C-alpha cells in the first residue's frame, strides 16, 4: 500500500517514445487532469499514464482522476480495453506518505481511507498494467488490480509496508496470496523484500516480460487492441467468469461460468461469431 520506497535521481519524468506518440480520446480530450495523461493510441484502446512528478506516488487526487478516466473509458462504446502505465523508471513507487502519516485510527477508519482505490476493480472492460521500473506498496497493489500484468526488464514489485510499521491496505495481502501462494506471499510481506519481473512471471503474477520498456508498453497496447476487436459482451463475460474464480469454490465457479455461457446464446454476437466460423467469413460484432 504505502510509500515512496525509492529515492528518485531526477525530478523529470522520462517517458518512452511510445507514450508520446498518442492521440487524445475525443470523449476525454476536454477534461483536464493534473496527475494522469489520457489517450487513445490504437483503435478501441484507452491508455492512462500515471504522471505525478518524481515517482508517481499515489494519493487521493491521483486515484480520483484515475477512477474518473477508467469510468469514462468503461462507458465508451469506442473503447474495448484499457492500458495503465507509468514511465520507464517507475510505474508507481507507492502511496504518498505525507498524505497519511498523521492520520489517526478514527480518521482512517471513519472515512474509509483508500477505499476508492478498489474502484479500479469495478471496471467491466479488461485492464492491462504495463509495468516498468518500481511497482512498490500501493503501486504493486494497483498493478495487481489489473486483469493482466506485462513487465519491462527492470520492473520491481514488492509490499514493503512492514518497514513503515504497517501492512498492505489496498488488497496487497489478499491478491498476492491468490496470485503466488501463501508461503511466498507471507515471506515477501513479512520481510518487505522486492521481487523482479522474471520472478513475477515465473510465479504467475505477470503474464509476460519484455526486453525493453518501450516493448512492454507496445505489446500491452497490441494485446488491448486484439481484445478490443472481439465482441464486447463476450469479452465482458470472459473477464467476469475468470474473476469469479477468486470469489467462490471450483464447483460454484463452474456452475456460474456455465450460466453465463448459456446467457451468451441470447446475443447477436454469438449468432454472428458462430455463423462466421461456419461460413468461413469475418464476424461483424455489434456488442448486442
Amino acid at each position: 500500500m504505502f510509500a515512496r520506497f525509492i529515492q528518485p535521481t531526477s525530478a523529470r519524468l522520462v517517458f518512452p517514445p511510445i507514450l508520446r506518440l498518442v492521440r487524445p480520446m475525443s470523449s476525454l480530450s476536454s477534461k483536464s487532469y493534473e496527475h494522469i495523461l489520457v489517450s487513445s493510441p490504437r483503435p478501441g484502446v484507452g491508455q492512462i499514464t500515471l504522471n505525478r512528478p518524481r515517482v508517481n506516488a499515489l494519493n487521493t487526487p491521483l486515484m480520483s482522476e484515475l477512477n474518473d478516466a477508467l469510468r469514462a473509458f468503461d462507458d465508451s462504446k469506442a473503447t474495448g480495453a484499457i492500458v495503465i502505465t507509468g514511465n520507464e523508471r517507475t510505474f508507481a513507487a507507492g502511496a504518498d506518505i505525507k498524505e497519511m502519516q498523521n492520520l489517526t485510527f478514527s480518521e482512517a477508519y471513519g472515512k474509509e481511507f483508500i477505499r476508492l482505490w478498489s474502484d479500479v476493480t469495478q471496471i467491466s472492460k479488461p485492464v492491462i498494467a504495463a509495468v516498468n521500473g518500481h511497482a512498490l506498496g500501493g503501486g504493486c497493489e494497483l498493478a495487481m488490480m489489473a486483469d493482466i500484468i506485462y513487465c519491462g526488464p527492470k520492473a520491481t514489485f514488492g509490499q514493503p509496508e512492514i518497514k513503515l510499521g504497517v501492512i498492505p491496505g489496498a488488497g496487497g495481502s489478499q491478491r498476492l496470496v491468490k496470485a503466488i501462494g501463501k508461503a511466498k506471499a507471507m515471506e515477501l510481506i513479512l520481510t518487505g523484500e522486492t521481487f523482479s519481473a522474471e520472478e513475477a512471471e515465473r510465479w504467475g503474477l505477470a503474464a509476460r516480460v519484455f526486453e525493453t520498456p518501450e516493448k512492454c508498453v507496445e505489446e500491452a497496447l497490441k494485446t488491448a487492441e486484439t481484445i478490443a476487436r472481439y465482441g464486447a459482451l463476450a469479452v465482458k463475460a470472459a473477464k467476469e467468469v475468470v474473476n469469479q474464480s477468486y470469489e467462490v469454490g471450483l464447483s460454484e465457479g463452474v456452475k456460474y461460468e456455465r450460466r453465463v455461457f448459456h446467457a451468451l446464446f441470447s446475443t447477436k454476437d454469438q449468432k454472428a461469431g458462430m455463423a462466421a466460423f461456419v461460413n468461413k467469413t469475418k464476424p461483424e460484432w455489434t456488442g448486442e
Side-chain angles (χ1 to χ4, degrees), residues 105-182:
F105 167 75
S106 60
E107 290 171 336
Y109 183 67
K111 67 180 181 181
E112 291 282 358
F113 180 61
I114 73 171
R115 180 178 62 179
L116 66 84
W117 292 31
S118 295
D119 289 357
V120 174
T121 63
Q122 303 304 307
I123 301 304
S124 64
K125 292 174 181 175
V127 177
I128 303 173
V131 179
N132 286 300
H134 298 279
L136 304 176
C140 184
E141 290 173 308
L142 175 58
M144 290 193 291
M145 291 180 202
D147 301 299
I148 302 170
I149 298 177
Y150 279 0
C151 300
K154 295 183 179 180
T156 304
F157 299 87
Q159 298 291 163
E161 290 86 353
I162 198 75
K163 298 178 180 180
L164 296 177
V166 291
I167 63 171
S173 65
Q174 306 305 297
R175 293 189 177 91
L176 195 60
V177 169
K178 291 183 181 297
I180 69 175
K182 176 186 174 182

Side-chain angles (χ1 to χ4, degrees), residues 45-74:
V45 178
Q47 179 175 331
I48 302 172
T49 304
L50 306 180
N51 189 41
R52 191 171 180 218
R54 295 180 76 83
V55 292
N56 284 336
L58 305 176
N59 62 4
T60 298
L62 185 152
M63 293 304 299
S64 295
E65 290 185 0
L66 175 61
N67 288 334
D68 182 77
L70 284 170
R71 284 191 292 268
F73 279 132
D74 207 31

Side-chain angles (χ1 to χ4, degrees), residues 126-248:
V127 177
I128 303 173
V131 179
N132 286 300
H134 298 279
L136 304 176
C140 184
E141 290 173 308
L142 175 58
M144 290 193 291
M145 291 180 202
D147 301 299
I148 302 170
I149 298 177
Y150 279 0
C151 300
K154 295 183 179 180
T156 304
F157 299 87
Q159 298 291 163
E161 290 86 353
I162 198 75
K163 298 178 180 180
L164 296 177
V166 291
I167 63 171
S173 65
Q174 306 305 297
R175 293 189 177 91
L176 195 60
V177 169
K178 291 183 181 297
I180 69 175
K182 176 186 174 182
K184 183 58 69 176
M186 186 72 80
E187 178 187 43
L188 291 167
I189 290 171
L190 290 179
T191 63
E193 295 299 319
T194 61
F195 55 100
S196 67
E198 290 74 17
E199 289 170 320
E201 182 185 32
R202 187 165 68 247
W203 297 340
L205 181 69
R208 299 174 66 185
V209 180
F210 299 93
E211 60 272 20
T212 67
E214 293 84 358
K215 189 70 171 177
C216 171
V217 176
E218 179 184 349
E219 290 297 322
L221 294 172
K222 181 179 178 180
T223 296
E225 185 178 8
T226 297
I227 293 169
R229 292 194 189 109
Y230 297 127
L233 293 178
V235 169
K236 180 178 180 178
K239 171 173 174 170
E240 186 176 320
V241 297
V242 171
N243 284 336
Q244 185 72 0
S245 69
Y246 274 84
E247 307 297 334
V248 300

